[in-house]
Amino acid sequence: MALHKSDDNVKKIVVCGNGLAAQMTVCALARQLPDQIQLTWLRIAGSEQSDIFYGNTAPPATYEFNLNLGISEPELLSGSEASFSFGTRYQNWGGAAWTQCFQQPLPIIDGVLFHHYLSQQNIFELEPFLVSAVAAQKGAFAHPPEDRRHALSRAEYGYHIDPLDWGRFFERMVPRDRVDIAAGEIADIVVHDGDIETVRLSDGRELVADLYVDGSGAGAVFLSSLGVVFKAERRLAAHMQYRPLSGAEGVVRTLTGCDFGWVSDTPLQSQVATLTVFDPQMPGQAALIAVPEGAAVAEVPIGRHPIAWAGNCVAIGQAAGVVEPLTAAPVVLLIRDVDRLLSLLPNTRDMRVESREFNRQYDEDYRNAGLFHRAFYEGHAFPDTSYWRAARAQPIDERLSAKLAQFESRGLHVAYDLEPFTQEDWLILSYGMGRRPGRYDRIADRADRDRVRQFLSGMRQDIERCVSAMPNHTDYMQNFMRYLRQQET
């Protein structure tokens, strides 16, 4: 097979946008690309406010993502409002309340998944066996140790974030000598044979590149110029405001279901971010939802493009799809988009192979994230208002039906390719919403029941002892930041 000619290499990349997706993408490309590739950041206004729809929770994968970019956790915490997170506490959610915590895989005993032994022992609660959830109940936090014998080693943690602040952090981490910055308004995008040929700005400048990366938010100015049509399922509005910390905040985001939608409170380092999400067309909603002065406000379509890569243009984050921030999914998917771009960065201007694989993974990611999101609206009596009706309006995907049916029948986890949420995520969600297996794996009966009972009791006691010795999250955070400041001096 003949090697491609060097004059056909990708030499110029233009990233468009001014919000979180563009900020993270530019940061990643600037820190990872070889110097031979010229990187231009086209900063256009208009997408920043919709960044509140990325929500306030970043998953555990954030740590590795940042580390791969050469950004350490101390740099993140010192340079932003981010704080530690054990997950989200859902309350008044169709009558259910639970902690959707981040969790390492639960023990597999004699080849049988952990929850089957709970069913065998007629134990109906999962949270006492989840160290992150128990710690969250007490507002406690500490970094999980590497010693696997320690109860806390099974905890996972992510970060509480303000998406607007987080974007500014990534922007500051961009090596300035690596990026050409162009600010302005787009006057025209010239398309030829399914590719973007030229981007013309209102001041007469022209930008020409081999690859165009669309991080412009829900408007998707690059991708839409190629005729890729966004498929919207519904519209949602949100506003985000802040209040000072009281000192009693915990280590989870607290999300409360309401008639008009939901409200979440997220403790950051120096303040609490309150995000309110609602249906903008709900009759009488103006009387229910007062938008505070100075709050960040946005209204967006929820949905996605059928493909994220068309021709020589690839969309990242909300330019590809907009997800309701009920879970950590918006940031999960954004990180996966950026990682996928880095791994599939084309060598030549013939990008058909890369675009095909990017779109396959993109489709799986968003479909599977949609299953997890939709599972929050199944199995309970929810308010009969426009927000909740719209959330359940789409026919349930047969793959989600299979997941729910198999779990409720015999505790079986049905898994699909490239799922962004883990088996533990699904298990915690199912238990939280009151789903229980009707049967358990009969292989569990090989183990002595008394020994299983002793094991479970010991595990529960170990977690309680561990959490009782952990510091309050607010104190831990303050002491940790004080230590970092001392290290800097």
Side-chain angles (χ1 to χ4, degrees), residues 304-480:
R304 66 185 180 101
H305 291 92
I307 57 173
W309 193 326
N312 62 349
C313 171
V314 57
I316 301 293
Q318 292 179 353
V322 184
V323 179
E324 182 179 359
L326 177 65
T327 68
V331 178
V332 170
L333 295 172
L334 175 57
I335 287 174
R336 289 166 79 102
D337 282 352
V338 177
D339 273 339
R340 186 161 51 244
L341 173 61
L342 291 171
S343 66
L344 291 172
L345 199 71
N347 291 316
T348 73
R349 289 194 289 268
D350 183 353
M351 307 173 186
R352 289 173 294 180
V353 171
E354 290 85 358
S355 64
R356 186 163 55 245
E357 178 59 16
F358 190 101
N359 287 331
R360 183 189 74 83
Q361 294 183 28
Y362 158 77
D363 185 62
E364 292 289 345
D365 274 356
Y366 278 76
R367 288 185 67 193
N368 287 324
L371 299 184
F372 192 71
H373 180 91
R374 186 67 165 82
F376 276 80
Y377 298 92
E378 287 301 312
H380 284 281
F382 294 102
D384 186 22
T385 60
S386 60
Y387 168 86
W388 297 95
R389 287 194 297 269
R392 297 164 56 89
Q394 296 292 326
I396 187 169
D397 191 303
E398 62 181 14
R399 298 188 306 166
L400 177 56
S401 295
K403 271 183 173 288
L404 299 181
Q406 289 293 337
F407 180 80
E408 292 180 335
S409 173
R410 52 173 297 147
L412 179 66
H413 288 293
V414 177
Y416 302 111
D417 188 26
L418 298 176
E419 288 206 47
F421 291 95
T422 68
Q423 180 172 287
E424 277 64 37
D425 294 330
W426 279 98
L427 180 66
I428 294 167
L429 173 59
S430 292
Y431 268 77
M433 295 198 67
R435 303 182 189 108
R436 299 292 184 274
R439 297 171 288 169
Y440 62 86
D441 188 340
R442 292 302 302 275
I443 297 177
D445 287 335
R446 293 186 307 182
D448 181 87
R449 288 190 177 226
D450 289 336
R451 291 185 62 188
V452 170
R453 188 177 300 110
Q454 292 172 7
F455 172 82
L456 294 176
S457 177
M459 181 179 178
R460 188 168 183 165
Q461 292 171 14
D462 286 346
I463 290 174
E464 290 173 352
R465 282 194 296 267
C466 168
V467 171
S468 68
M470 291 170 61
N472 172 275
H473 172 248
T474 301
D475 294 339
Y476 187 92
M477 191 79 218
Q478 291 175 348
N479 290 333
F480 190 74

Side-chain angles (χ1 to χ4, degrees), residues 159-172:
Y159 301 99
H160 293 143
I161 65 167
D162 172 352
L164 308 179
D165 164 75
W166 217 41
R168 291 189 290 268
F169 166 77
F170 279 103
E171 182 176 334
R172 289 192 296 272

Side-chain angles (χ1 to χ4, degrees), residues 90-299:
Y90 293 91
Q91 52 192 29
N92 195 34
W93 196 262
W98 77 98
T99 301
Q100 187 70 33
C101 61
F102 302 126
Q103 177 73 30
Q104 290 275 350
L106 288 162
I108 296 176
I109 306 170
D110 202 18
V112 178
L113 295 175
F114 180 81
H115 64 277
H116 289 287
Y117 290 101
L118 298 184
S119 296
Q120 184 207 53
Q121 298 287 324
N122 292 317
I123 297 174
F124 301 104
E125 290 184 288
L126 178 64
E127 286 196 6
F129 303 94
L130 305 174
V131 64
S132 303
V134 176
Q137 291 171 8
K138 298 187 177 181
F141 182 83
H143 278 90
E146 294 183 3
D147 184 354
R148 299 301 296 172
R149 295 170 297 179
H150 198 289
L152 189 57
S153 68
R154 291 196 179 276
E156 283 256 61
Y157 72 92
Y159 301 99
H160 293 143
I161 65 167
D162 172 352
L164 308 179
D165 164 75
W166 217 41
R168 291 189 290 268
F169 166 77
F170 279 103
E171 182 176 334
R172 289 192 296 272
M173 300 304 290
V174 174
R176 291 301 167 182
D177 59 349
R178 187 65 187 85
V179 181
D180 296 323
I181 297 179
E185 296 181 2
I186 296 176
D188 188 26
I189 299 177
V190 180
V191 174
H192 179 71
D193 286 342
D195 288 333
I196 295 176
E197 192 171 79
T198 307
V199 177
R200 292 175 179 156
L201 304 184
S202 57
D203 60 6
R205 286 176 294 167
E206 293 190 350
L207 299 179
V208 178
D210 303 305
L211 177 65
Y212 295 84
V213 181
D214 193 340
S216 64
V221 293
F222 279 179
L223 189 64
S224 60
S225 73
L226 295 172
V228 183
V229 179
F230 186 89
K231 181 180 179 181
E233 298 175 357
R234 60 193 299 206
R235 290 191 69 84
L236 287 177
H239 62 73
M240 190 167 67
Q241 59 181 314
Y242 308 91
R243 70 171 190 270
L245 287 173
S246 68
E249 286 78 17
V251 68
V252 290
R253 175 182 69 151
T254 302
L255 190 150
T256 305
C258 310
D259 284 349
F260 58 76
W262 53 267
V263 178
S264 68
D265 289 311
T266 305
L268 305 170
Q269 287 186 39
S270 65
Q271 56 191 351
V272 175
T274 298
L275 180 65
T276 302
V277 175
F278 56 97
D279 175 5
Q281 276 84 47
M282 178 177 173
Q285 64 86 16
L288 296 172
I289 309 161
V291 179
E293 183 178 353
V297 182
E299 181 177 332

